[in-house]
Amino acid sequence: MTNLLLLTTLIAAVSAYLIWFYHLSCRLSGPKIWPFVGSLPYLFMNRRKIHDWIADNLNQTGRSATYQTCTIALPFLARRQGLVTVTCHPKNIEHVLRTRFSNYPKGPTWQNAFHDLLGQGIFNSDGETWLIQRKTAALEFTTRTLRQAMARWVNRTIKHRLWRILDTAIAEKSSVDLQDLLLRLTFDNICGLTFGKDPETLSPGLPENPFAAAFDSATEATLQRLLYPGFLWRLKKGLKVGAERRLMNSLQVVEDYMTEALKARRETPSDDLLSRFLNRRGVDGNFYPNSVLKRIALNFVLAGRDTSSVALSWFFWLVMNHPEIEAKIVREISTVLKQTRGDDRRRWVEEPLAFEEADRLVYLKAALTETLRLYPSVPEDFKYVVSDDVLPDGTPVPAGSTVTYSIFSVGRTKAIWGEDCLEFKPERWLVRTGSDGYRFEPPNDGYKFVAFNAGPRTCLGKELAYLQMKSVASAVLLRYRIMPVPGHRVEQKMSLTLFMKNGLRVYLRQRRLEGGAAATDVAASA
């Protein structure tokens, strides 16, 4: 009798679950889901091409550009922690990033995972804590002295390090990993700008720097936390094993380095960001303690290092495969330098471009922006839903669930960018100003392009990032022709930042400059 009762109860429970699961699967518009594990099997199978897989799923939805999936197919959890809404619809993105900004914070999952590395820094905080840091940083990023400081760091690393390394590669007829060089360059620049200390990772011989290596290891171990349930990485942390042990050891190296940097800035303040935050106050009205100042600095290093270098890597790869666009960029740079430095071409390559010269490179900015449209440095972003809401396209999103907006997919959606959305076409960012010129102009709908985020969290360093990228791009293209190493495979690395998995190995040759062309010819010949 007891066995019969157990069997009947089991059959009833399974039947109830299958009925519930059937209704759940009918409501979801994303990839197929399975009992209990939801869409996790498909996520696992497509983990090496996750961004393309998300874009394919969104394109299959037609003009709606939104789908919902479930990663935990269990009652209650399926509508909260397990429900993920994925979208690339510009109106939905605007709703999340601006209209109902306060309803879509970073959320507990993200903040808990990144807390050990970033603390309550600007990129890992919400609410009043975030707002105070944002206002402080916004004041500093608008100062001319910060722009001048950035110019000094960028031009120095280009002239005394990058050019020497590339010239040596030409002399030795050896290839270089351009992505690695760019990562080192931007890392040195952002460290200098943030806390006035140059780690010198971009130096002849490409030395290993303990702080840079520890920072990389800590970032990678932190990202792994997002791939696993919270209880699992917390267990590993408690046991001090695996990635959590590496994270603990790396954080200690980072902590020691930052302690020395902060001590130096207190003794000798400079024009770096850390010095500027020393005299600012937090939410409680008191000066920031050392522990918070260190995390604020690390937040800026994380944001300023990978994004620009990754964007430049994809830019150079695209330019190598589009020689006609490369020619227009070089022609524009030559035209500007002819106007600012005269006809002697030797003077054009004696010094990197001043930021004032880089400001005039309209076509180059269009090419960099087009690169970010196709290969955004941060391809996907995630938000936590605080209270029940409905997106502009009619999709309901319950409290406790996640909204993912796919920046990578936006640029690959024909309904948003047109039939030529997969083409590398800088001209789409240019508007004729008359018979003699063009200007850069973003789309009317600003949420079609959110590579620098949008709304209240718009990247404060956007203009500095453009100037750094322009300076580096012009410094390389004006002096060198770059060619891919035969057989080298360029493919995406599956991480929160769109690195090239195998780097970008190239050969270089000295470029022979021709006469400068009229500025209008650059865009007019498009």
Side-chain angles (χ1 to χ4, degrees):
M1 186 67 179
T2 303
N3 290 339
L4 180 60
L5 180 61
L6 287 175
L7 180 61
T8 303
T9 302
L10 180 61
I11 293 174
V14 171
S15 299
Y17 175 81
L18 291 177
I19 292 171
W20 172 87
F21 179 79
Y22 171 77
H23 287 287
L24 171 69
S25 61
C26 289
R27 292 199 307 269
L28 300 176
S29 53
K32 181 180 178 180
I33 63 171
W34 296 88
F36 304 111
V37 294
S39 58
L40 285 177
Y42 290 103
L43 283 168
F44 180 78
M45 287 188 294
N46 292 281
R47 66 191 184 281
R48 301 190 188 282
K49 54 174 184 176
I50 191 71
H51 308 309
D52 289 308
W53 180 68
I54 289 174
D56 289 341
N57 285 328
L58 286 168
N59 277 315
Q60 289 173 18
T61 66
R63 298 189 66 86
S64 63
T66 304
Y67 70 83
Q68 288 186 312
T69 187
C70 178
T71 57
I72 306 174
L74 294 173
F76 180 77
L77 293 179
R79 274 186 53 81
R80 293 183 178 275
Q81 293 94 322
L83 181 67
V84 179
T85 303
V86 184
T87 186
C88 65
H89 195 300
K91 293 301 180 187
N92 289 348
I93 296 175
E94 181 179 11
H95 183 83
V96 169
L97 297 184
R98 184 183 69 84
T99 309
R100 295 221 51 203
F101 171 73
S102 61
N103 195 49
Y104 297 93
K106 291 281 187 181
T109 300
W110 179 284
Q111 289 177 333
N112 291 337
F114 278 84
H115 184 268
D116 289 340
L117 177 63
L118 299 181
Q120 286 294 302
I122 190 171
F123 298 106
N124 196 44
S125 58
D126 292 310
E128 193 68 18
T129 301
W130 166 80
L131 185 60
I132 291 292
Q133 292 185 51
R134 171 80 183 191
K135 288 180 177 178
T136 301
L139 289 173
E140 303 303 342
F141 272 90
T142 57
T143 61
R144 183 171 180 80
T145 53
L146 190 66
R147 176 185 166 105
Q148 291 171 338
M150 184 67 163
R152 289 198 305 274
W153 285 105
V154 172
N155 288 350
R156 187 173 71 175
T157 49
I158 289 173
K159 181 177 180 179
H160 298 296
R161 300 182 195 170
L162 181 64
W163 279 350
R164 291 182 180 179
I165 291 171
L166 297 183
D167 285 342
T168 299
I170 291 175
E172 296 177 353
K173 297 182 179 180
S174 60
S175 66
V176 296
D177 181 353
L178 199 53
Q179 178 176 254
D180 180 50
L181 297 183
L182 293 169
L183 280 167
R184 291 169 180 269
L185 182 146
T186 55
F187 186 69
D188 289 353
N189 287 340
I190 196 60
C191 285
L193 186 69
T194 301
F195 44 80
K197 189 172 182 179
D198 185 355
E200 299 185 12
T201 62
L202 183 70
S203 299
L206 304 180
E208 187 77 13
N209 179 277
F211 172 61
F215 188 78
D216 278 346
S217 177
T219 303
E220 184 175 338
T222 299
L223 290 177
Q224 286 190 30
R225 290 180 168 183
L226 294 177
L227 303 177
Y228 305 109
F231 77 87
L232 185 58
W233 67 257
R234 286 186 178 90
L235 177 62
K236 293 168 68 176
K237 179 180 178 180
L239 297 175
K240 299 180 181 179
V241 297
E244 290 299 318
R245 182 178 180 83
R246 293 196 302 274
L247 176 60
M248 180 182 66
N249 294 336
S250 299
L251 286 175
Q252 187 58 57
V253 176
V254 170
E255 183 73 17
D256 292 344
Y257 190 91
M258 292 303 302
T259 298
E260 292 180 13
L262 181 57
K263 180 181 178 182
R265 292 286 68 80
R266 286 196 181 279
E267 294 174 352
T268 312
S270 185
D271 57 2
D272 53 84
L273 284 168
L274 185 56
S275 296
R276 296 164 188 265
F277 269 87
L278 282 172
N279 299 317
R280 301 293 182 179
R281 299 178 186 270
V283 176
D284 57 5
N286 298 319
F287 292 113
Y288 289 113
N290 287 353
S291 58
V292 174
L293 286 169
K294 294 174 189 176
R295 291 299 173 265
I296 289 174
L298 285 176
N299 273 253
F300 286 115
V301 171
L302 181 66
R305 180 237 186 167
D306 292 348
T307 50
S308 293
S309 58
V310 167
L312 281 167
S313 298
W314 288 108
F315 165 79
F316 285 121
W317 178 72
L318 286 167
V319 165
M320 281 192 294
N321 289 284
H322 295 82
E324 72 287 356
I325 293 176
E326 178 185 18
K328 294 172 189 176
I329 293 171
V330 173
R331 195 180 309 145
E332 180 184 49
I333 299 169
S334 300
T335 298
V336 169
L337 291 178
K338 186 175 183 181
Q339 295 167 356
T340 59
R341 303 185 186 184
D343 292 329
D344 186 352
R345 294 171 199 163
R346 288 174 299 181
R347 293 187 58 204
W348 296 2
V349 294
E350 285 178 347
E351 297 285 340
L353 267 69
F355 273 16
E356 290 71 21
E357 293 171 320
D359 274 333
R360 300 170 64 176
L361 299 174
V362 177
Y363 190 83
L364 177 55
K365 182 176 182 179
L368 288 165
T369 307
E370 180 70 348
T371 299
L372 286 166
R373 184 185 70 84
L374 289 169
Y375 296 98
S377 299
V378 180
E380 323 286 340
D381 203 359
F382 315 90
K383 299 293 182 181
Y384 176 79
V385 184
V386 174
S387 59
D388 293 351
D389 196 11
V390 179
L391 299 179
D393 68 355
T395 303
V397 285
S401 66
T402 299
V403 171
T404 298
Y405 60 97
S406 175
I407 306 170
F408 183 86
S409 302
V410 173
R412 287 168 162 70
T413 302
K414 293 180 181 179
I416 299 174
W417 284 99
E419 293 296 321
D420 63 351
C421 65
L422 297 181
E423 295 180 24
F424 180 53
K425 189 178 178 182
E427 290 75 20
R428 74 174 80 243
W429 299 91
L430 299 174
V431 174
R432 185 183 290 274
T433 58
S435 59
D436 60 346
Y438 288 78
R439 73 170 185 272
F440 177 89
E441 186 169 295
N444 293 329
D445 184 349
Y447 292 83
K448 288 173 59 175
F449 180 74
V450 289
F452 289 96
N453 216 321
R457 281 190 181 265
T458 298
C459 176
L460 290 170
K462 176 179 176 179
E463 294 308 317
L464 287 181
Y466 266 122
L467 288 170
Q468 177 177 231
M469 290 190 293
K470 283 182 177 181
S471 296
V472 174
S474 58
V476 172
L477 293 180
L478 195 66
R479 289 171 65 104
Y480 312 102
R481 287 183 56 231
I482 52 177
M483 297 149 290
V485 170
H488 176 67
R489 292 185 60 186
V490 172
E491 53 186 310
Q492 303 167 23
K493 180 179 179 180
M494 293 305 110
S495 66
L496 290 181
T497 307
L498 201 63
F499 292 106
M500 293 177 173
K501 181 179 179 181
N502 306 308
L504 181 62
R505 298 215 66 89
V506 299
Y507 287 114
L508 301 105
R509 292 180 185 171
Q510 293 288 350
R511 184 182 296 280
R512 296 183 60 184
L513 292 172
E514 300 177 358
T520 53
D521 291 346
V522 174
S525 62

